[in-house]
Amino acid sequence: MKKDLHPSNYRLVVFKDMSNDYAFITKSCVDTKETIQWEDGNEYPVVKLEISHTSHPFYTGKMKLVDTAGRIDKFRSRYNKK
């Protein structure tokens, strides 16, 4: 294997689904500025997600509308037939 090919800054990171407050912790090397206190009392970097496997319709089997940025309203107003 080539040396210095993979990142060396792997650490535990919390990924939090903002639509339903589900969070999980895993190793990652993603850069983040925010931290969160986890269930074990330690602070970890946090990455905020708009959608995860607990809120995605494919995994849940339900259509759940998650519109955090108003994209659907923008689309409807742009392509609304008059």
Side-chain angles (χ1 to χ4, degrees), residues 1 3-4 14-15 26 29 34-35 37 40 42 46-48 53 55 57 61-63 69 73 76-77 80 82:
M1 271 173 66
K3 287 189 170 262
D4 301 326
V14 175
F15 289 86
T26 187
C29 60
E34 298 180 50
T35 60
Q37 188 168 4
D40 63 1
N42 295 328
V46 64
V47 175
K48 295 180 179 177
H53 71 281
S55 60
K62 302 177 202 170
M63 283 302 293
D73 293 331
R76 286 184 180 155
S77 65
N80 190 13
K82 296 178 181 168

Side-chain angles (χ1 to χ4, degrees), residues 24-63:
F24 60 94
I25 190 167
T26 187
K27 285 192 169 188
S28 178
C29 60
V30 65
D31 291 328
T32 180
K33 296 185 186 326
E34 298 180 50
T35 60
I36 192 171
Q37 188 168 4
W38 189 243
E39 298 162 357
D40 63 1
N42 295 328
E43 277 201 19
Y44 297 103
V46 64
V47 175
K48 295 180 179 177
L49 306 171
E50 289 186 25
I51 197 161
S52 72
H53 71 281
T54 59
S55 60
H56 194 281
F58 179 80
Y59 297 106
T60 61
K62 302 177 202 170
M63 283 302 293

